[in-house]
Amino acid sequence: QLIIHDQVDFNLALDHAASEEELATKIATEAHTPFDLAKDALFRATLVQCTNNESVLLMNMHHIISDGVSVQILIKELATLYTRRAYQLPLRLPELKVQYVDYAHWQRNWLQGEVLQQQIAFWKKELSGAPLLLPLPLDMPRPAVQRFVGSLIDVPIERSLAQQLKQASKKHGVTLFMSLLAAYQVLLAKYSRHHDICVGIPLAGRGIKETE
């Protein structure tokens, strides 16, 4: 059941930290404090005073009400309001032309019946016979139960190569992301010796800018 409140009671919590270690502990504690979907506002904020001239704003929101796109907009608008307040300018932001709830209502009404069945049938056909596991040569045995334990390795790319990738993508009428994804799939095919490769990617899926 979808419940949308006309307004939410929000209070900015105030706290202080005497050291970087104490601040790190407060950040970790806040990040690991769950939300109660039945009664919480799904958005919390705490202003932590570190020194007389420095404070840290902790913002925590449930993924059910935000994603990478909307969070970037939130941070940008917050920075705009902060700057305007610092220079004693009116606190104004442009009105939204489309509320996301309007888009969600349209999408829910559209994605049902024959349209929904067509979408399901298409993906069932596309993913029919897809491999459940990619046999990559690993240096450790694959655990019986997926543990989601891994590492992140940053690989810098030379500016000249990055520019060539952008130019090649533009030439073929695709985005840089599409080019890199294709290269990644070729790499997986090489090491797995399989040509039927399924890669899951998180996408915002927004078709128009107003729904960001």
Side-chain angles (χ1 to χ4, degrees), residues 163-194:
Q163 190 62 34
Q164 291 175 24
L165 287 170
K166 292 179 180 178
Q167 291 175 353
S169 300
K170 185 177 181 180
K171 178 181 178 181
H172 292 282
V174 299
T175 64
L176 178 60
F177 174 80
M178 295 165 68
S179 296
L180 294 176
L181 178 60
Y184 177 61
Q185 290 176 316
V186 169
L187 187 68
L188 292 178
K190 174 184 177 181
Y191 284 116
S192 67
R193 297 185 178 181
H194 277 238

Side-chain angles (χ1 to χ4, degrees), residues 90-148:
L91 303 182
R92 290 196 301 265
L93 289 173
E95 292 290 334
L96 293 176
K97 297 179 180 179
V98 178
Q99 294 285 342
Y100 192 80
V101 64
D102 299 324
Y103 171 74
H105 178 71
W106 167 84
Q107 186 182 52
R108 175 169 293 187
N109 289 331
W110 169 72
L111 196 58
Q112 58 181 327
E114 184 178 352
V115 173
L116 178 59
Q117 294 306 317
Q118 288 177 349
Q119 294 283 336
I120 294 176
F122 172 83
W123 286 111
K124 280 186 175 181
K125 180 181 178 182
E126 288 294 312
L127 298 175
S128 177
L132 299 178
L133 210 60
L134 191 63
L136 287 171
L138 307 176
D139 55 357
M140 297 180 183
R142 187 190 297 271
V145 179
Q146 190 172 5
R147 297 195 301 258
F148 298 97

Side-chain angles (χ1 to χ4, degrees), residues 4-8:
I4 302 175
H5 298 282
D6 293 329
Q7 61 183 19
V8 176

Side-chain angles (χ1 to χ4, degrees), residues 82-91:
Y82 183 86
T83 302
R84 295 185 69 86
R85 181 63 179 266
Y87 287 96
Q88 298 182 346
L89 298 173
L91 303 182

